[in-house]
Each structure stands twice: as C-alpha cells, then as structure tokens.
C-alpha cells in the first residue's frame, strides 16, 4: 500500500513539531509548505527531521516547498499558516491578517488538493475554519478545526496534576469556541470512571476551569514571543491519525453545525467522531440549562468574528 501524503501548510513552530510527529508515528510522507521567503527554513527543518529518522527507525519522506503544485494528491492538509499571538493580544486580534492568509491558502488547497481531509489550526480558530470552508466550498465532513482537543487536554492535565493521578485516566470534554468563553464541562468529567465532582471541591473545579479558559494566554505570557506549539501540534496530529487509520476517535473539535445543539451555520467546538469519512458524526450531549447558556455565550463571541469574516470574503 502506498504511503499516505500529509501536507502541512505553515512550517513555523507548530508545523515543525507536526512534521516530527508525523514521521515518528509513520503516518505517511510529509510535505511542508510555507511562503517563498521561508522556503529555506522548511527545507532545512524537514531535512533535519529526515536525518533523525535513521536514529528513530521510522520510514518517512519529508520535503519543504513553497510551490503549491507539490501538495497535489494530499490525503490530509493541516493549516497553521498565519500569525501567532504576542503578549497582550487576543486571538481575535489576529483576524485581520490571518483571514487574508487563510483565503489564499484555501484557494490553493481547492485547486491542488480538493480531496484532502482539512484540519485548520490558525487562530482565531472558529472563524478561520469557517473562512476556509467558505472559500473552498468543501463538504462539511472534510473540514474541521483543531481546538477542543487542546482545550480538553489542558483541562485533563490540570485535573491530573491536582489529584496526582495519571492523565490517561482523566476523561473530559471542553466545548464551545477556542477563546476565553470556551466551556469546560466538569459534570461530564470522570477519573478512572468516577465522576470528578465526587473527587474535587467545587472551588477547585472552578479554579481549574478558569485556568483552562486562560491556558493559551498563560503560555503566551511565559513564552514572550509566540504562542503554544507542542500541544497544538500534538492535538492536530491526533485528528489526522484518526482519519488516516480510521480510528473513529471521539474528539472535541470545531465542526460545522447544522441544527445540532440548536446551532445553525457556524463552526463550534463539540465532540465528534473522526474516521476514514472525515467528520463522521457530531455527538450530541444533553446539556443542562446552565451549560447550554454558557455554550450560547461562546457562540455569540464566535458570531462576532464570523460576521467580520463574512464582510471580507
Ligand atoms: N502561506 C503559507 N504559510 C504562511 C503564510 C501563507 N500565506 N503566511 C504565513 N505563513 C507561515 C509563516 O511563514 C510561518 O512559518 O506560517 C507559519 C506560522 O508559524 P509561526 O509564526 O511559528 O506560528 P505558530 O506558532 O506555528 O502558529 C500558527 O496557529 O495556533 C495558531 O495562533 C496560532 O495562528 C497561529 C498559527
């Protein structure tokens, strides 16, 4: 069987780690595309990773390019092209610049790789994935956004740290937009099958939910120049892996909603099943009135950014 082809558009901080993870997991051959000014950088990064494959013992061809013709035949396209945040910026502050970049990327993916499963990572996430789908017109099952897995992973990590237990045993989901209004759902969180609410005080749970909502900003402040990259890379590769290996994992992602959760025509973070068919299912959880109200607040924030996108493309 021929190897799968994974295209990473944007070979910066996140793109570099994504390429390394694809190689280490032997998901397929990797093409990293960036702007002409960064072609040497992506050629250098991919060559560096290629030179590590003998040590790791993994078979994977990697290449860097700025030529869109090289993405033809991609099975998966992951997009991180765009600016990251600097301290003091919100994700929405990136919209002005990144919507132009996403429009250009989407036009080229539509032309050269129309059959690919597309995962968007560029922020502001929920409106950039909306923009990508609007420009490409791709079916909704083939375009989704990475964010919920990352937010959920942060939530799970903080709970595991607090309880001093294995993070593997913490199951949770975070829904809503990828911003300060995201909705961690402690009611649905379990630790080794035991409801979190039986193991932790409400006060602690609230503090962890707050830290989760602000986790990206915490990293931006610490790094001083750029935003999180290891965890976004790992999160997006899990989505590609579930598609390529038809794993049918249940993952929180930004999916296009058409009536689910009473929401129509927007991308928002919800649990979905990713398999060989792309987004194969949107899992609808029965939310309490309070949870639904929080989700709607988050949707309102996404609507503002989407309105901005709609006025531009
Ligand atoms: N086409 C292709 N690549 C582009 C384009 C474009 N039109 N414009 C910019 N890029 C590339 C940049 O040259 C850079 O190499 O995108 C890359 C972005 O990398 P970083 O600046 O290191 O940013 P990173 O930390 O990887 O984050 C990328 O993901 O999580 C989001 O908020 C984050 O929007 C940001 C994106």
């Amino acid at each position: 069987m021929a190897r799968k082809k994974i295209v990473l558009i944007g070979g910066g901080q996140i793109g570099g780690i994504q390429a390394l993870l694809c190689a280490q997991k032997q998901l397929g051959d990797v093409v990293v595309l960036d702007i002409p000014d960064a072609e040497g950088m992506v050629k250098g990064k991919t060559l560096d990773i290629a030179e590590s494959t003998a040590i790791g013992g993994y078979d994977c061809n990697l290449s860097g390019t700025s030529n869109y013709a090289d993405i033809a035949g991609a099975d998966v396209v992951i997009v991180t092209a765009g600016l990251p945040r600097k301290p003091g910026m919100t994700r929405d502050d990136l919209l002005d610049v990144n919507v132009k970049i996403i429009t250009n990327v989407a036009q080229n993916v539509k032309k050269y790789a129309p059959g690919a499963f597309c995962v968007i990572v560029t922020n502001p996430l929920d409106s950039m994935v909306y923009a990508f789908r609007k420009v490409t017109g791709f079916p909704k099952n083939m375009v989704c956004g990475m964010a919920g897995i990352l937010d959920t992973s942060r939530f799970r990590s903080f709970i595991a740290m607090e309880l001093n237990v294995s993070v593997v045993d913490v199951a949770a989901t975070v829904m809503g937009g990828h911003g300060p209004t995201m909705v961690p759902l402690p009611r649905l969180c379990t630790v080794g099958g035991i409801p979190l609410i039986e193991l932790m005080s409400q006060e602690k749970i609230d503090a962890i939910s707050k830290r989760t909502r602000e986790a990206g900003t915490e990293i931006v402040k610490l790094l001083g120049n750029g935003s999180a990259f290891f965890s976004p890379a790992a999160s997006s590769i899990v989505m590609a892996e579930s598609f390529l290996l038809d794993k049918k994992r249940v993952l929180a992602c930004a999916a296009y909603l058409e009536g689910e959760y009473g929401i129509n025509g927007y991308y928002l973070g919800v649990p979905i099943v990713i398999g060989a068919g792309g987004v194969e299912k949107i899992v609808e959880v029965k939310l309490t009135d309070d949870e639904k109200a929080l989700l709607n607040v988050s949707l309102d924030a996404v609507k503002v950014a989407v309105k901005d996108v709609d006025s531009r493309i």
Side-chain angles (χ1 to χ4, degrees), residues 294-310:
L294 290 172
L295 192 67
N296 282 330
V297 169
S298 196
L299 174 67
D300 287 343
V302 171
K303 279 183 177 173
V304 172
V306 166
K307 197 169 172 209
D308 199 347
V309 166
D310 276 335

Side-chain angles (χ1 to χ4, degrees), residues 9-15 33-35 38 41 68 80-85 94 98 101 104-105 121-123 227-229 232:
I9 301 186
Q13 295 280 63
I14 300 176
L33 182 142
D34 211 297
I35 53 175
M41 184 269 289
Y68 270 100
T80 60
L83 295 193
R85 283 196 282 169
L94 300 169
N98 285 353
I101 293 173
N104 172 264
V105 170
V121 182
T122 305
N123 275 313
S227 49
F229 52 100

Side-chain angles (χ1 to χ4, degrees), residues 53-270:
T53 55
I55 303 163
Y58 24 88
D59 295 308
C60 168
N61 295 319
L62 298 114
S63 56
T65 185
S66 63
N67 181 359
Y68 270 100
D70 294 335
I71 78 166
D75 295 287
V76 172
V77 169
I78 310 180
V79 182
T80 60
L83 295 193
R85 283 196 282 169
K86 292 210 159 62
M89 291 176 86
T90 67
R91 293 180 183 92
D92 283 333
D93 290 338
L94 300 169
L95 191 143
D96 189 32
V97 178
N98 285 353
V99 75
K100 294 185 190 116
I101 293 173
I102 288 295
T103 301
N104 172 264
V105 170
Q107 286 162 342
N108 282 293
V109 174
K110 182 181 166 96
K111 183 168 174 194
Y112 291 99
F117 177 59
C118 303
V119 176
I120 313 304
V121 182
T122 305
N123 275 313
L125 189 274
D126 306 272
S127 55
M128 290 305 101
V129 60
Y130 174 93
F132 183 92
R133 176 149 184 273
K134 185 171 181 184
V135 174
T136 58
F138 286 173
K140 64 176 182 173
N141 62 308
M142 296 304 271
V143 180
C144 59
M146 184 293 299
I149 302 175
L150 169 60
D151 299 328
T152 301
S153 178
R154 286 169 167 160
F155 190 50
R156 291 171 60 199
S157 302
F158 298 147
I159 289 165
M161 287 176 203
E162 179 63 31
L163 293 176
N164 194 24
V165 299
S166 168
V167 74
V168 175
D169 293 320
V170 182
T173 191
V174 175
M175 289 173 49
H178 183 51
T181 59
M182 71 179 73
V183 188
L185 291 164
R187 182 179 63 86
L188 303 178
C189 178
T190 57
V191 181
I194 304 155
L196 175 69
I197 45 183
E198 291 185 20
L199 299 172
M200 205 184 271
S201 69
Q202 191 58 45
E203 203 183 7
K204 272 270 175 271
I205 291 173
D206 290 345
I208 286 177
S209 297
K210 180 171 183 289
R211 189 174 178 195
T212 301
R213 285 192 294 271
E214 295 166 1
T217 305
E218 184 180 358
I219 302 272
V220 168
K221 273 192 199 144
L222 288 167
L223 292 178
N225 184 24
S227 49
F229 52 100
F230 289 110
S231 52
S235 305
S236 48
I237 295 304
V238 163
M239 296 166 73
E241 185 178 30
S242 193
F243 169 76
L244 291 168
L245 305 183
D246 192 24
K247 287 179 77 106
K248 302 196 191 295
R249 299 231 18 221
V250 181
L251 302 163
C253 303
Y256 191 71
L257 301 177
E258 285 182 309
E260 299 87 354
Y261 293 95
I263 296 166
N264 208 3
Y266 292 94
Y267 273 91
L268 201 68
V270 292

